[in-house]
Amino acid sequence: HYAAAATAHSATDSQRPVVVWNCTRKCNLRCIHCYSSAGNEDTAEVLNTEEAKSFIRDLADFGVPVILFSGGEPLLRKDIFKLAAFAKEQGLRTVLSTNGTPISEEVAERIRDVGFAEVGISLDGIGARNDLFRGKRGAYKATLQGIRNCITLGLRVSLRFTITRSTYTEIPIIFDLVEREGIERVCFYHLVYAGRASELRTEGLSHTMTRAVVD
């Protein structure tokens, strides 16, 4: 019953899967395109600390090289740094996937100290466009500050952007932001029609539009 999704980088048996673990359903935002319908509370299926450690130990035994802590908002798990440290002890490379708003200077220091190899931070546009998709006024400003707090400490940041009909025009500005802020990596995603995003099928790009965006 583990809330984990695994995808293999290669079809060869020598390659092991990177695991994306939705370690919580709790979130401080209300993103309209959230595939996990995250909200104010966790569900009964969410693993407690000891169950989570057992899960992480299993992943290490399976030879998984990377675990990505996702959600919901993983920084709302009270034991997130304890679990990240445990994963490192088991030989796993750890990555954090967050909306960035909880990353104060103090939290950024804890992220650095526990050894996260990368911090993936989601944005869906600049200013009000991002806030509309994130369901909270001021989310963009808080996320940008979280990005800056990480970069100041030398953390590797990857910006995550979901391409929709309402956001694809923001991509040139996003590239400007990436260059200006010194962000090392940017990842573009299509909508996943699950959770709250199941109501957004009209927001998906056609094949022709997708080709144009890539070009």
Side-chain angles (χ1 to χ4, degrees), residues 75-102:
L75 288 173
L76 296 187
R77 272 197 74 127
K78 294 180 179 180
D79 59 357
I80 184 63
F81 296 110
K82 180 183 296 185
L83 294 179
F86 182 77
K88 288 275 291 182
E89 291 170 3
Q90 303 303 306
L92 295 170
R93 183 173 183 264
T94 56
V95 176
L96 181 67
S97 182
T98 169
N99 64 49
T101 62

PDB file of all heavy atoms in Angstrom, residues 75-102:
ATOM      1  N   LEU A  75       7.528  18.959   3.068  1.00  0.00           N
ATOM      2  CA  LEU A  75       8.079  19.704   4.204  1.00  0.00           C
ATOM      3  C   LEU A  75       7.081  19.854   5.342  1.00  0.00           C
ATOM      4  O   LEU A  75       7.444  20.303   6.437  1.00  0.00           O
ATOM      5  CB  LEU A  75       8.568  21.081   3.750  1.00  0.00           C
ATOM      6  CG  LEU A  75       9.852  21.063   2.900  1.00  0.00           C
ATOM      7  CD1 LEU A  75      10.156  22.454   2.363  1.00  0.00           C
ATOM      8  CD2 LEU A  75      11.037  20.513   3.698  1.00  0.00           C
ATOM      9  N   LEU A  76       5.830  19.459   5.130  1.00  0.00           N
ATOM     10  CA  LEU A  76       4.838  19.478   6.205  1.00  0.00           C
ATOM     11  C   LEU A  76       4.880  18.202   7.036  1.00  0.00           C
ATOM     12  O   LEU A  76       4.217  18.126   8.075  1.00  0.00           O
ATOM     13  CB  LEU A  76       3.433  19.693   5.642  1.00  0.00           C
ATOM     14  CG  LEU A  76       3.189  21.035   4.951  1.00  0.00           C
ATOM     15  CD1 LEU A  76       1.712  21.187   4.597  1.00  0.00           C
ATOM     16  CD2 LEU A  76       3.649  22.210   5.812  1.00  0.00           C
ATOM     17  N   ARG A  77       5.647  17.197   6.579  1.00  0.00           N
ATOM     18  CA  ARG A  77       5.866  16.010   7.411  1.00  0.00           C
ATOM     19  C   ARG A  77       6.845  16.373   8.510  1.00  0.00           C
ATOM     20  O   ARG A  77       7.977  16.804   8.238  1.00  0.00           O
ATOM     21  CB  ARG A  77       6.440  14.851   6.586  1.00  0.00           C
ATOM     22  CG  ARG A  77       5.402  13.984   5.933  1.00  0.00           C
ATOM     23  CD  ARG A  77       6.014  12.648   5.486  1.00  0.00           C
ATOM     24  NE  ARG A  77       6.274  11.769   6.612  1.00  0.00           N
ATOM     25  CZ  ARG A  77       5.836  10.509   6.696  1.00  0.00           C
ATOM     26  NH1 ARG A  77       5.091   9.991   5.732  1.00  0.00           N
ATOM     27  NH2 ARG A  77       6.135   9.777   7.755  1.00  0.00           N
ATOM     28  N   LYS A  78       6.458  16.161   9.762  1.00  0.00           N
ATOM     29  CA  LYS A  78       7.323  16.527  10.885  1.00  0.00           C
ATOM     30  C   LYS A  78       8.606  15.704  10.911  1.00  0.00           C
ATOM     31  O   LYS A  78       9.611  16.143  11.485  1.00  0.00           O
ATOM     32  CB  LYS A  78       6.557  16.370  12.203  1.00  0.00           C
ATOM     33  CG  LYS A  78       5.388  17.345  12.343  1.00  0.00           C
ATOM     34  CD  LYS A  78       4.661  17.159  13.661  1.00  0.00           C
ATOM     35  CE  LYS A  78       3.507  18.142  13.805  1.00  0.00           C
ATOM     36  NZ  LYS A  78       2.776  17.983  15.091  1.00  0.00           N
ATOM     37  N   ASP A  79       8.564  14.518  10.289  1.00  0.00           N
ATOM     38  CA  ASP A  79       9.734  13.641  10.324  1.00  0.00           C
ATOM     39  C   ASP A  79      10.507  13.649   9.005  1.00  0.00           C
ATOM     40  O   ASP A  79      11.341  12.776   8.765  1.00  0.00           O
ATOM     41  CB  ASP A  79       9.322  12.215  10.677  1.00  0.00           C
ATOM     42  CG  ASP A  79       8.323  11.623   9.677  1.00  0.00           C
ATOM     43  OD1 ASP A  79       7.911  12.345   8.739  1.00  0.00           O
ATOM     44  OD2 ASP A  79       7.942  10.445   9.835  1.00  0.00           O
ATOM     45  N   ILE A  80      10.255  14.630   8.135  1.00  0.00           N
ATOM     46  CA  ILE A  80      10.857  14.600   6.797  1.00  0.00           C
ATOM     47  C   ILE A  80      12.384  14.580   6.854  1.00  0.00           C
ATOM     48  O   ILE A  80      13.029  13.829   6.115  1.00  0.00           O
ATOM     49  CB  ILE A  80      10.355  15.788   5.940  1.00  0.00           C
ATOM     50  CG1 ILE A  80      10.903  15.689   4.507  1.00  0.00           C
ATOM     51  CG2 ILE A  80      10.694  17.125   6.575  1.00  0.00           C
ATOM     52  CD1 ILE A  80      10.443  14.491   3.744  1.00  0.00           C
ATOM     53  N   PHE A  81      12.979  15.355   7.747  1.00  0.00           N
ATOM     54  CA  PHE A  81      14.443  15.389   7.798  1.00  0.00           C
ATOM     55  C   PHE A  81      15.000  14.122   8.429  1.00  0.00           C
ATOM     56  O   PHE A  81      16.078  13.648   8.055  1.00  0.00           O
ATOM     57  CB  PHE A  81      14.910  16.647   8.542  1.00  0.00           C
ATOM     58  CG  PHE A  81      14.535  17.920   7.831  1.00  0.00           C
ATOM     59  CD1 PHE A  81      13.573  18.765   8.346  1.00  0.00           C
ATOM     60  CD2 PHE A  81      15.126  18.242   6.617  1.00  0.00           C
ATOM     61  CE1 PHE A  81      13.222  19.935   7.683  1.00  0.00           C
ATOM     62  CE2 PHE A  81      14.776  19.407   5.941  1.00  0.00           C
ATOM     63  CZ  PHE A  81      13.817  20.255   6.473  1.00  0.00           C
ATOM     64  N   LYS A  82      14.271  13.557   9.354  1.00  0.00           N
ATOM     65  CA  LYS A  82      14.673  12.284   9.949  1.00  0.00           C
ATOM     66  C   LYS A  82      14.651  11.174   8.882  1.00  0.00           C
ATOM     67  O   LYS A  82      15.581  10.362   8.800  1.00  0.00           O
ATOM     68  CB  LYS A  82      13.723  11.927  11.098  1.00  0.00           C
ATOM     69  CG  LYS A  82      14.046  10.620  11.789  1.00  0.00           C
ATOM     70  CD  LYS A  82      13.013  10.286  12.864  1.00  0.00           C
ATOM     71  CE  LYS A  82      13.028  11.302  13.984  1.00  0.00           C
ATOM     72  NZ  LYS A  82      12.113  10.910  15.092  1.00  0.00           N
ATOM     73  N   LEU A  83      13.609  11.179   8.048  1.00  0.00           N
ATOM     74  CA  LEU A  83      13.503  10.161   7.000  1.00  0.00           C
ATOM     75  C   LEU A  83      14.553  10.374   5.916  1.00  0.00           C
ATOM     76  O   LEU A  83      15.111   9.410   5.380  1.00  0.00           O
ATOM     77  CB  LEU A  83      12.104  10.187   6.390  1.00  0.00           C
ATOM     78  CG  LEU A  83      10.958   9.778   7.313  1.00  0.00           C
ATOM     79  CD1 LEU A  83       9.626   9.879   6.590  1.00  0.00           C
ATOM     80  CD2 LEU A  83      11.163   8.362   7.854  1.00  0.00           C
ATOM     81  N   ALA A  84      14.830  11.640   5.585  1.00  0.00           N
ATOM     82  CA  ALA A  84      15.851  11.923   4.580  1.00  0.00           C
ATOM     83  C   ALA A  84      17.222  11.468   5.071  1.00  0.00           C
ATOM     84  O   ALA A  84      18.012  10.884   4.310  1.00  0.00           O
ATOM     85  CB  ALA A  84      15.869  13.410   4.255  1.00  0.00           C
ATOM     86  N   ALA A  85      17.509  11.720   6.347  1.00  0.00           N
ATOM     87  CA  ALA A  85      18.785  11.280   6.923  1.00  0.00           C
ATOM     88  C   ALA A  85      18.874   9.764   6.918  1.00  0.00           C
ATOM     89  O   ALA A  85      19.932   9.187   6.606  1.00  0.00           O
ATOM     90  CB  ALA A  85      18.926  11.826   8.342  1.00  0.00           C
ATOM     91  N   PHE A  86      17.769   9.092   7.241  1.00  0.00           N
ATOM     92  CA  PHE A  86      17.752   7.634   7.250  1.00  0.00           C
ATOM     93  C   PHE A  86      17.994   7.090   5.844  1.00  0.00           C
ATOM     94  O   PHE A  86      18.742   6.118   5.665  1.00  0.00           O
ATOM     95  CB  PHE A  86      16.417   7.134   7.789  1.00  0.00           C
ATOM     96  CG  PHE A  86      16.310   5.641   7.878  1.00  0.00           C
ATOM     97  CD1 PHE A  86      16.931   4.956   8.907  1.00  0.00           C
ATOM     98  CD2 PHE A  86      15.604   4.919   6.927  1.00  0.00           C
ATOM     99  CE1 PHE A  86      16.851   3.575   8.991  1.00  0.00           C
ATOM    100  CE2 PHE A  86      15.508   3.539   7.009  1.00  0.00           C
ATOM    101  CZ  PHE A  86      16.137   2.864   8.040  1.00  0.00           C
ATOM    102  N   ALA A  87      17.373   7.720   4.846  1.00  0.00           N
ATOM    103  CA  ALA A  87      17.555   7.286   3.456  1.00  0.00           C
ATOM    104  C   ALA A  87      19.023   7.431   3.041  1.00  0.00           C
ATOM    105  O   ALA A  87      19.583   6.550   2.372  1.00  0.00           O
ATOM    106  CB  ALA A  87      16.651   8.080   2.522  1.00  0.00           C
ATOM    107  N   LYS A  88      19.649   8.520   3.449  1.00  0.00           N
ATOM    108  CA  LYS A  88      21.069   8.712   3.145  1.00  0.00           C
ATOM    109  C   LYS A  88      21.914   7.625   3.798  1.00  0.00           C
ATOM    110  O   LYS A  88      22.855   7.105   3.186  1.00  0.00           O
ATOM    111  CB  LYS A  88      21.510  10.089   3.641  1.00  0.00           C
ATOM    112  CG  LYS A  88      20.975  11.252   2.834  1.00  0.00           C
ATOM    113  CD  LYS A  88      21.837  11.550   1.622  1.00  0.00           C
ATOM    114  CE  LYS A  88      23.181  12.104   2.034  1.00  0.00           C
ATOM    115  NZ  LYS A  88      24.009  12.454   0.837  1.00  0.00           N
ATOM    116  N   GLU A  89      21.563   7.274   5.032  1.00  0.00           N
ATOM    117  CA  GLU A  89      22.296   6.228   5.740  1.00  0.00           C
ATOM    118  C   GLU A  89      22.188   4.886   5.013  1.00  0.00           C
ATOM    119  O   GLU A  89      23.101   4.051   5.082  1.00  0.00           O
ATOM    120  CB  GLU A  89      21.752   6.080   7.160  1.00  0.00           C
ATOM    121  CG  GLU A  89      22.059   7.262   8.073  1.00  0.00           C
ATOM    122  CD  GLU A  89      21.305   7.177   9.387  1.00  0.00           C
ATOM    123  OE1 GLU A  89      20.595   6.160   9.598  1.00  0.00           O
ATOM    124  OE2 GLU A  89      21.404   8.118  10.199  1.00  0.00           O
ATOM    125  N   GLN A  90      21.063   4.682   4.323  1.00  0.00           N
ATOM    126  CA  GLN A  90      20.848   3.444   3.583  1.00  0.00           C
ATOM    127  C   GLN A  90      21.509   3.469   2.203  1.00  0.00           C
ATOM    128  O   GLN A  90      21.396   2.514   1.436  1.00  0.00           O
ATOM    129  CB  GLN A  90      19.346   3.182   3.411  1.00  0.00           C
ATOM    130  CG  GLN A  90      18.559   3.107   4.705  1.00  0.00           C
ATOM    131  CD  GLN A  90      19.083   2.047   5.639  1.00  0.00           C
ATOM    132  OE1 GLN A  90      19.219   0.887   5.275  1.00  0.00           O
ATOM    133  NE2 GLN A  90      19.395   2.459   6.870  1.00  0.00           N
ATOM    134  N   GLY A  91      22.178   4.573   1.882  1.00  0.00           N
ATOM    135  CA  GLY A  91      22.887   4.663   0.616  1.00  0.00           C
ATOM    136  C   GLY A  91      22.081   5.229  -0.530  1.00  0.00           C
ATOM    137  O   GLY A  91      22.512   5.152  -1.693  1.00  0.00           O
ATOM    138  N   LEU A  92      20.900   5.804  -0.234  1.00  0.00           N
ATOM    139  CA  LEU A  92      20.056   6.365  -1.277  1.00  0.00           C
ATOM    140  C   LEU A  92      20.392   7.840  -1.508  1.00  0.00           C
ATOM    141  O   LEU A  92      20.677   8.579  -0.563  1.00  0.00           O
ATOM    142  CB  LEU A  92      18.577   6.249  -0.897  1.00  0.00           C
ATOM    143  CG  LEU A  92      18.009   4.832  -0.779  1.00  0.00           C
ATOM    144  CD1 LEU A  92      16.626   4.880  -0.166  1.00  0.00           C
ATOM    145  CD2 LEU A  92      17.962   4.169  -2.136  1.00  0.00           C
ATOM    146  N   ARG A  93      20.344   8.248  -2.758  1.00  0.00           N
ATOM    147  CA  ARG A  93      20.442   9.670  -3.093  1.00  0.00           C
ATOM    148  C   ARG A  93      19.057  10.275  -2.881  1.00  0.00           C
ATOM    149  O   ARG A  93      18.062   9.729  -3.337  1.00  0.00           O
ATOM    150  CB  ARG A  93      20.891   9.840  -4.543  1.00  0.00           C
ATOM    151  CG  ARG A  93      21.103  11.285  -4.998  1.00  0.00           C
ATOM    152  CD  ARG A  93      21.718  11.290  -6.399  1.00  0.00           C
ATOM    153  NE  ARG A  93      22.004  12.635  -6.866  1.00  0.00           N
ATOM    154  CZ  ARG A  93      21.189  13.340  -7.650  1.00  0.00           C
ATOM    155  NH1 ARG A  93      20.033  12.826  -8.033  1.00  0.00           N
ATOM    156  NH2 ARG A  93      21.523  14.550  -8.049  1.00  0.00           N
ATOM    157  N   THR A  94      18.985  11.394  -2.176  1.00  0.00           N
ATOM    158  CA  THR A  94      17.689  11.971  -1.826  1.00  0.00           C
ATOM    159  C   THR A  94      17.440  13.277  -2.580  1.00  0.00           C
ATOM    160  O   THR A  94      18.338  14.110  -2.730  1.00  0.00           O
ATOM    161  CB  THR A  94      17.606  12.247  -0.317  1.00  0.00           C
ATOM    162  OG1 THR A  94      18.698  13.081   0.076  1.00  0.00           O
ATOM    163  CG2 THR A  94      17.652  10.946   0.469  1.00  0.00           C
ATOM    164  N   VAL A  95      16.196  13.411  -3.043  1.00  0.00           N
ATOM    165  CA  VAL A  95      15.748  14.612  -3.746  1.00  0.00           C
ATOM    166  C   VAL A  95      14.455  15.072  -3.097  1.00  0.00           C
ATOM    167  O   VAL A  95      13.625  14.250  -2.695  1.00  0.00           O
ATOM    168  CB  VAL A  95      15.523  14.330  -5.253  1.00  0.00           C
ATOM    169  CG1 VAL A  95      14.955  15.559  -5.960  1.00  0.00           C
ATOM    170  CG2 VAL A  95      16.829  13.893  -5.911  1.00  0.00           C
ATOM    171  N   LEU A  96      14.285  16.374  -2.993  1.00  0.00           N
ATOM    172  CA  LEU A  96      13.079  16.954  -2.404  1.00  0.00           C
ATOM    173  C   LEU A  96      12.269  17.634  -3.492  1.00  0.00           C
ATOM    174  O   LEU A  96      12.806  18.397  -4.294  1.00  0.00           O
ATOM    175  CB  LEU A  96      13.463  17.977  -1.336  1.00  0.00           C
ATOM    176  CG  LEU A  96      12.327  18.676  -0.592  1.00  0.00           C
ATOM    177  CD1 LEU A  96      11.554  17.689   0.285  1.00  0.00           C
ATOM    178  CD2 LEU A  96      12.875  19.822   0.266  1.00  0.00           C
ATOM    179  N   SER A  97      10.957  17.360  -3.537  1.00  0.00           N
ATOM    180  CA  SER A  97      10.052  18.009  -4.475  1.00  0.00           C
ATOM    181  C   SER A  97       9.037  18.812  -3.670  1.00  0.00           C
ATOM    182  O   SER A  97       8.213  18.237  -2.953  1.00  0.00           O
ATOM    183  CB  SER A  97       9.342  16.971  -5.351  1.00  0.00           C
ATOM    184  OG  SER A  97       8.507  17.599  -6.297  1.00  0.00           O
ATOM    185  N   THR A  98       9.074  20.135  -3.785  1.00  0.00           N
ATOM    186  CA  THR A  98       8.324  21.009  -2.905  1.00  0.00           C
ATOM    187  C   THR A  98       7.746  22.189  -3.675  1.00  0.00           C
ATOM    188  O   THR A  98       8.221  22.521  -4.771  1.00  0.00           O
ATOM    189  CB  THR A  98       9.245  21.530  -1.775  1.00  0.00           C
ATOM    190  OG1 THR A  98       8.603  22.581  -1.055  1.00  0.00           O
ATOM    191  CG2 THR A  98      10.548  22.076  -2.340  1.00  0.00           C
ATOM    192  N   ASN A  99       6.731  22.831  -3.097  1.00  0.00           N
ATOM    193  CA  ASN A  99       6.235  24.060  -3.723  1.00  0.00           C
ATOM    194  C   ASN A  99       7.089  25.259  -3.324  1.00  0.00           C
ATOM    195  O   ASN A  99       6.897  26.359  -3.852  1.00  0.00           O
ATOM    196  CB  ASN A  99       4.758  24.297  -3.402  1.00  0.00           C
ATOM    197  CG  ASN A  99       4.474  24.522  -1.929  1.00  0.00           C
ATOM    198  OD1 ASN A  99       5.113  25.313  -1.254  1.00  0.00           O
ATOM    199  ND2 ASN A  99       3.473  23.800  -1.405  1.00  0.00           N
ATOM    200  N   GLY A 100       8.015  25.060  -2.407  1.00  0.00           N
ATOM    201  CA  GLY A 100       8.991  26.085  -2.075  1.00  0.00           C
ATOM    202  C   GLY A 100       8.557  27.110  -1.048  1.00  0.00           C
ATOM    203  O   GLY A 100       9.405  27.779  -0.444  1.00  0.00           O
ATOM    204  N   THR A 101       7.262  27.226  -0.827  1.00  0.00           N
ATOM    205  CA  THR A 101       6.798  28.284   0.076  1.00  0.00           C
ATOM    206  C   THR A 101       7.240  28.106   1.521  1.00  0.00           C
ATOM    207  O   THR A 101       7.397  29.104   2.232  1.00  0.00           O
ATOM    208  CB  THR A 101       5.262  28.437   0.017  1.00  0.00           C
ATOM    209  OG1 THR A 101       4.640  27.223   0.456  1.00  0.00           O
ATOM    210  CG2 THR A 101       4.790  28.758  -1.393  1.00  0.00           C
ATOM    211  N   PRO A 102       7.442  26.866   2.023  1.00  0.00           N
ATOM    212  CA  PRO A 102       7.879  26.728   3.423  1.00  0.00           C
ATOM    213  C   PRO A 102       9.378  26.916   3.631  1.00  0.00           C
ATOM    214  O   PRO A 102       9.864  26.807   4.762  1.00  0.00           O
ATOM    215  CB  PRO A 102       7.486  25.282   3.779  1.00  0.00           C
ATOM    216  CG  PRO A 102       6.630  24.786   2.667  1.00  0.00           C
ATOM    217  CD  PRO A 102       7.079  25.544   1.471  1.00  0.00           C
TER     218      PRO A 102
END
